[in-house]
Amino acid sequence: MLIAGIALLILLAFGFPIAIVLGISSVIYMLATDSLNLMTSAPQRMFNGVETYGLLAIPLFMLVGELMNQGGVSNRIIKSLSLLMGHLKGGLAYANVVANVFLASILGSANAQSAIMNRVMVPEMEKEGYKREFSAALTASSSLMGPIIPPSMIFILYGVLAGVSINGLFLAGIIPGLLFALAFVGMIYALSFKYNFKKTDRASAAVIAKYLLQVIPSLSIPVIIIWGILTGVFTPTESAAIGCLIAFILGMFVYKELKWSDLSKVFINTAVNTSIITFIIVNASLFSWVMAMERIPHLIMDFIMSIATSPLMFLVLVNILFLVIGMFMDEMAAIIILVPILMPIVSAYGIDPIHFGVIIAINATIGLITPPVGYVLFTTSSIAEVKYERLVRAIIPFVAISLLILLIITYVPAVTTWIPQLFG
Amino acid sequence: MVKKSIVYFDRVMMLIEKLLKGIIVFSVAALVIVMSLNIIFRYVLSAPIFWADEFALYMLVWITFLGASICIKHDRLPAITILKDKLNTTLRLYLYIIIQIAILLFSFIILYYTFDWITSNNVANRVSAAMRVPMWIPYSILPLTMFINVLFVLHNILHSKQSLKLEMGSD
């Protein structure tokens, strides 16, 4: 068994696609143990692997993001906030954080968010005299709010895997997300004296009013999502569908930046980005089946419970585990593989599964900006055209602050559980 | 002769990719339209479309396998690349081919057992719960994409030198 585990790690380390490693190792197990009856039901299991209502929200929220970015909705939100706050000292940097909060309440992934923010905001900030590395690092780290402030792909995925209410997770993410915004704003304020950040000329009230009027319709998306959750009228999947409809109408008929001919590209991007997550789920459903057969989750549980003597200790271990894995592996893949294994331990220790979900989400998103492998670092470095090494150096203080927030979230459960309990 | 058949093979692969993308556009569009219509029917007309969720879930499965095939063709499935990036060109080429063979093996085994599954009595006579469509229709996405994966991987191996050069150039 140990040999099989090591073989698996070697395949992963040598760059075999994660989904394929999970799939092929399961198939080889079934063939090697002569479990033909297992093998014949494997296709059925693969087909059923993603047949879960909650997961429907993933392509739908992906599509909201594609439509918003392509249709000029994101652009307008960023532009109007820059105009509104530009005249403050360090105004564009503040606008960057606030725009990320707004986008986070519509988009569900840090990647979608950092892609558009880097394209629009970094050149703008550089024009006003901010260092390119600083602008890119700020944009990259602010995009971490994307999967923490609802809606969130990570919460959807965790909710489905752990059998926890996605609505509850969405509510629990609000305060931690704002905590990130507050910390970054504080950091900009402190730095604005050291680096003497510039202000831009105050825009005239008429110009600001014109832009604000343009963005008001797009703010209906987060309002509907949050309203749907609070009143329980819509499921997250349904609010995602409504989000698509609004983003489509805005881009196509109000801002007129979305063309019919763009749609096929938008749909293909949506499907490819969805499948990157869901194809891992399909293969993980084979893998977890084989693992259960060999009672591996039990062994891992016994092992972890023998070293972690208290819930707190367990959380520390989880923090470290995800940080290390996040340095090398895709966050979604780590969640898909580890959450089903960890959940029995979470309930054995009596940890609130919603609190645990928020910890996992923050842990996983920090992995997006920790070198050597951080997907947001990669997109930022290529879109903002900053050398990877320089970006890594500039992002260190942001990673430090994010880790501090992770500690607070982990050891002060009230931060996450307060809002869900209020409405629960 | 060999060169000519490679050109021909390439052209067929391009057509197949186009076909897959066509099905993807249909699936995503159908998913969004049905989900949105269902909300209108449920909350405005209070008459939900009873087959909407079932249909949407089938579309999600389709998107998953179709998208994965596109990812396989363009080497976009997520992987840990940190070690791979440090290898020299020759080793990388070998590793690339070995990975392609692993994908080939996987797709082929699943394809083989999928035929057994779809043609079994159990599936042949089954219809879906809400739409009452024969189950082999939604299920057929599995053999279709697994078969196409096999072709795409062969295509990748055939062109491994060029695709690797392209990948290195874009770094």
Side-chain angles (χ1 to χ4, degrees):
Chain A
M1 211 58 240
L2 197 66
I3 299 171
I6 292 169
L8 218 72
L9 288 180
I10 291 177
L11 288 186
L12 283 175
F14 273 101
F16 283 67
I18 297 163
I20 299 295
V21 172
L22 295 175
I24 203 165
S25 54
S26 314
V27 170
I28 288 175
Y29 170 88
M30 291 174 199
L31 295 177
T33 53
D34 244 353
S35 328
L36 263 182
N37 54 328
L38 287 188
M39 201 52 230
T40 44
S41 48
Q44 183 75 53
R45 226 183 151 80
M46 288 176 80
F47 192 91
N48 297 142
V50 285
E51 245 194 319
T52 310
Y53 182 76
L55 290 179
L56 274 175
I58 291 183
L60 292 172
F61 275 124
M62 290 273 182
L63 185 57
V64 174
E66 290 283 339
L67 288 171
M68 295 238 319
N69 287 358
Q70 190 78 30
V73 186
S74 309
N75 256 334
R76 283 180 172 73
I77 291 177
I78 300 168
K79 185 81 192 156
S80 63
L81 286 167
S82 310
L83 282 174
L84 201 63
M85 310 174 82
H87 63 279
L88 300 169
K89 193 179 177 69
L92 278 184
Y94 292 128
N96 189 330
V97 176
V98 178
N100 265 303
V101 172
F102 274 94
L103 290 183
S105 66
I106 305 172
L107 307 176
S109 89
N111 279 326
Q113 209 167 309
S114 67
I116 186 86
M117 285 297 294
N118 275 307
R119 209 170 303 138
V120 181
M121 204 71 195
V122 174
E124 194 91 347
M125 284 178 75
E126 198 180 27
K127 233 189 298 165
E128 298 297 333
Y130 292 87
K131 265 200 191 152
R132 183 173 275 258
E133 296 96 278
F134 172 77
S135 317
L138 176 68
T139 310
S141 5
S142 300
S143 74
L144 295 193
M145 291 183 280
I148 299 169
I149 294 178
S152 147
M153 301 287 177
I154 293 185
F155 283 151
I156 293 167
L157 197 57
Y158 174 86
V160 169
L161 292 169
V164 176
S165 144
I166 295 172
N167 278 346
L169 289 162
F170 278 6
L171 290 177
I174 296 175
I175 294 183
L178 294 178
L179 213 58
F180 270 95
L182 215 64
F184 292 146
V185 164
M187 187 168 161
I188 295 166
Y189 183 74
L191 288 175
S192 64
F193 297 102
K194 191 175 161 205
Y195 292 114
N196 204 11
F197 287 150
K198 292 230 180 74
K199 335 172 169 186
T200 50
D201 299 328
R202 189 187 282 271
S204 75
V207 174
I208 293 179
K210 189 187 127 212
Y211 267 93
L212 281 184
L213 224 69
Q214 276 195 333
V215 284
I216 284 175
S218 61
L219 295 183
S220 59
I221 298 179
V223 169
I224 286 180
I225 293 173
I226 301 285
W227 177 76
I229 297 169
L230 289 182
T231 58
V233 173
F234 300 129
T235 62
T237 305
E238 285 174 329
S239 24
I242 298 174
C244 289
L245 215 59
I246 298 176
F248 173 75
I249 292 171
L250 285 179
M252 194 66 112
F253 305 112
V254 181
Y255 304 146
K256 297 194 174 73
E257 280 185 33
L258 192 67
K259 312 259 176 326
W260 285 104
S261 54
D262 294 333
L263 281 182
S264 65
K265 196 186 90 192
V266 162
F267 287 164
I268 291 167
N269 282 346
T270 302
V272 167
N273 290 330
T274 302
S275 74
I276 282 178
I277 301 172
T278 51
F279 192 57
I280 299 179
I281 301 179
V282 163
N283 288 288
S285 67
L286 284 183
F287 189 70
S288 62
W289 194 28
V290 168
M291 292 234 294
M293 215 91 63
E294 287 287 313
R295 297 179 48 85
I296 308 280
H298 274 276
L299 295 178
I300 294 177
M301 183 172 166
D302 289 345
F303 174 68
I304 291 182
M305 290 190 83
S306 69
I307 41 175
T309 45
S310 70
L312 218 61
M313 182 113 155
F314 168 67
L315 290 179
V316 177
L317 281 179
V318 169
N319 283 159
I320 296 170
L321 180 70
F322 267 88
L323 282 178
V324 173
I325 290 182
M327 284 180 185
F328 303 101
M329 197 159 136
D330 184 79
E331 282 58 36
M332 292 297 198
I335 289 175
I336 294 167
I337 298 171
L338 292 177
V339 164
I341 299 178
L342 293 175
M343 283 331 279
I345 311 176
V346 169
S347 65
Y349 278 127
I351 299 166
D352 180 357
I354 287 190
H355 178 212
F356 189 69
V358 177
I359 296 173
I360 296 278
I362 294 176
N363 236 320
T365 44
I366 291 177
L368 294 170
I369 59 164
T370 46
V373 180
Y375 285 85
V376 168
L377 284 182
F378 292 152
T379 43
T380 301
S381 146
S382 78
I383 296 174
E385 291 170 20
V386 184
K387 269 259 165 63
Y388 189 71
E389 293 75 22
R390 305 182 73 155
L391 178 62
V392 166
R393 220 168 301 142
I395 209 146
I396 289 171
F398 292 96
V399 174
I401 286 195
S402 308
L403 287 175
L404 197 71
I405 295 177
L406 174 64
L407 284 181
I408 297 173
I409 303 290
T410 307
Y411 304 114
V412 188
V415 179
T416 44
T417 51
W418 183 60
I419 291 193
Q421 272 162 10
L422 213 62
F423 293 95
Chain B
M1 184 60 202
V2 175
K3 225 174 201 165
K4 211 170 168 191
S5 48
I6 289 180
V7 171
Y8 186 69
F9 183 59
D10 286 355
R11 211 172 291 157
V12 174
M13 288 305 108
M14 243 159 71
L15 274 175
I16 289 181
E17 188 177 349
K18 263 203 184 133
L19 174 79
L20 284 192
K21 286 185 171 165
I23 311 177
I24 285 178
V25 171
F26 163 80
S27 308
V28 178
L31 170 65
V32 186
I33 292 170
V34 168
M35 290 300 288
S36 316
L37 279 181
N38 191 33
I39 292 168
I40 297 171
F41 272 82
R42 172 173 302 166
Y43 295 106
V44 184
L45 307 173
S46 4
I49 308 173
F50 65 95
W51 48 267
D53 288 353
E54 183 184 287
F55 176 78
L57 284 172
Y58 291 158
M59 288 302 106
L60 175 63
V61 180
W62 281 32
I63 290 168
T64 299
F65 285 101
L66 293 164
S69 289
I70 301 283
C71 287
I72 285 174
K73 176 144 197 270
H74 298 284
D75 200 17
R76 281 197 55 194
L77 288 178
I80 299 171
T81 55
I82 181 156
L83 198 66
K84 198 160 56 172
D85 294 341
K86 294 208 165 61
L87 297 176
N88 68 33
T89 326
T90 336
L91 282 177
R92 253 175 99 159
L93 181 65
Y94 288 141
L95 186 59
Y96 177 81
I97 293 175
I98 295 172
I99 290 175
Q100 295 300 317
I101 292 173
I103 301 174
L104 180 86
L105 210 63
F106 173 73
S107 306
F108 186 78
I109 296 173
I110 298 295
L111 176 67
Y112 179 83
Y113 284 96
T114 304
F115 269 117
D116 273 4
W117 167 61
I118 271 194
T119 51
S120 69
N121 284 334
N122 189 8
V123 171
N125 303 320
R126 210 187 321 163
V127 291
S128 75
M131 291 187 291
R132 316 299 300 171
V133 294
M135 280 313 288
W136 64 266
I137 296 177
Y139 285 165
S140 62
I141 199 67
L142 257 161
L144 175 73
T145 54
M146 290 301 145
F147 177 64
I148 289 172
N149 288 349
V150 170
L151 293 178
F152 278 172
V153 167
L154 289 175
H155 180 258
N156 282 350
I157 295 175
L158 210 61
H159 294 279
S160 49
K161 268 202 174 135
Q162 286 116 297
S163 57
L164 209 63
K165 239 180 243 158
L166 232 86
E167 188 197 322
M168 301 273 257
S170 68
D171 278 351

